[in-house]
Structures are given as C-alpha cells and as structure tokens.
Amino acid sequence: MSQYYDVGDQTLWNPSNGASRLFMGQVSVYEAELGLPSGIGPMQADECQIDPLVFKDFVDALLAWHRRTSHEVMAALSEGFVAAVLALAERAGIEVNWMSAGCTEDGGLKDVQAPAASDSSEGAWAAALQRKSRELARFMAA
C-alpha cells in the first residue's frame, strides 16, 4: 500500500504507508515547533493535497529555523525531514528562500550547543542540504 502527496493533479510523492506515517508525524512536530501550518492536508483515502502557498511559507520558516539551530543533536534530528520537505518543494516548483535562512530577527543563533560546534559557512551549509535533498528526491519518485 502507498499514499499520495499531491498538488492539484500532480503527484509529488507516493511513499509506503510506513514512510508516510513517519513523515506526517514529523509534519505535526514541526508545525507545532514553528507555530505555522504546513499546508500538507490530512490523509484521506490514501491521498492528501498540499497547498503550495501555505507550504512555501512553511518551507521557508523551516529552513530558517534549521539554520538558526546550532545544537548538533537538534540539527541532526531535523536534517532528514528538512531535506525531504525541500525535495517536495522542488517537485512542486516552489522557489525556496535560501537568503532568509541565514538571518534571524535578532541576528543570533538559537539552541546553541555547549560546547559549541564548529560553524560552517552559509554556502557550505546550503550546498550540503541541497545535495541531501536531491539524493532523497531520487527515492521519492511519484
């Protein structure tokens, strides 16, 4: 069995029930963490619709949240989900705002690791996450 993640009539992803259940659980976690809806609708009859406008806002906020986090465990826990969401956004033709991902309202980092991890450049961080997203996209064929 599998489930469908669609934007209109376009299927972005058709994962197994187990992968979909884990993904939807993480969607709920990050909606709560960000205080934003994801735009990923409820799963009904093995299908859900993604609202591209709401999803774009969620993706941009998630990317900014992930970049602000300098806590190594939090970054590791969220990296796979962020990469999967970026792969879906790319499939939906959503232009991700990578510029705002490097900035915060107060200019600082959040959830800092003690001892601090080494800081990587913005370009290297974005390139690594884009690479991970593209790798996952290969396995997300609709």
Side-chain angles (χ1 to χ4, degrees):
M1 297 289 293
S2 61
Q3 299 186 325
Y4 295 86
Y5 291 80
D6 301 327
V7 172
D9 292 336
Q10 178 189 6
T11 297
L12 304 180
W13 187 29
N14 179 225
S16 69
N17 289 350
S20 181
R21 185 178 55 253
L22 288 173
F23 180 75
M24 290 299 276
Q26 289 184 323
V27 167
S28 296
V29 166
Y30 289 99
E31 284 177 329
E33 183 69 25
L34 299 172
L36 290 173
S38 65
I40 299 173
M43 191 59 69
Q44 298 174 324
D46 291 332
E47 296 180 0
C48 81
Q49 282 291 318
I50 298 174
D51 179 326
L53 297 175
V54 177
F55 189 55
K56 181 192 180 351
D57 290 342
F58 179 77
V59 172
D60 289 342
L62 179 66
L63 191 59
W65 174 90
H66 183 66
R67 182 57 185 140
R68 281 193 313 267
T69 302
S70 65
H71 191 286
E72 287 298 311
V73 174
M74 289 179 67
L77 288 170
S78 61
E79 182 177 283
F81 178 73
V82 173
V85 165
L86 289 170
L88 285 175
E90 183 173 326
R91 286 175 176 256
I94 293 171
E95 188 171 323
V96 176
N97 187 354
W98 289 91
M99 294 303 292
S100 71
C103 304
T104 63
E105 290 175 12
D106 63 1
L109 294 173
K110 179 179 169 186
D111 292 318
V112 176
Q113 176 80 31
S118 61
D119 190 29
S120 63
S121 73
E122 289 298 316
W125 171 82
L129 195 52
Q130 287 170 331
R131 196 168 36 255
K132 177 72 172 174
S133 175
R134 287 188 185 110
E135 287 172 14
L136 278 181
R138 291 184 14 235
F139 299 103
M140 296 173 79

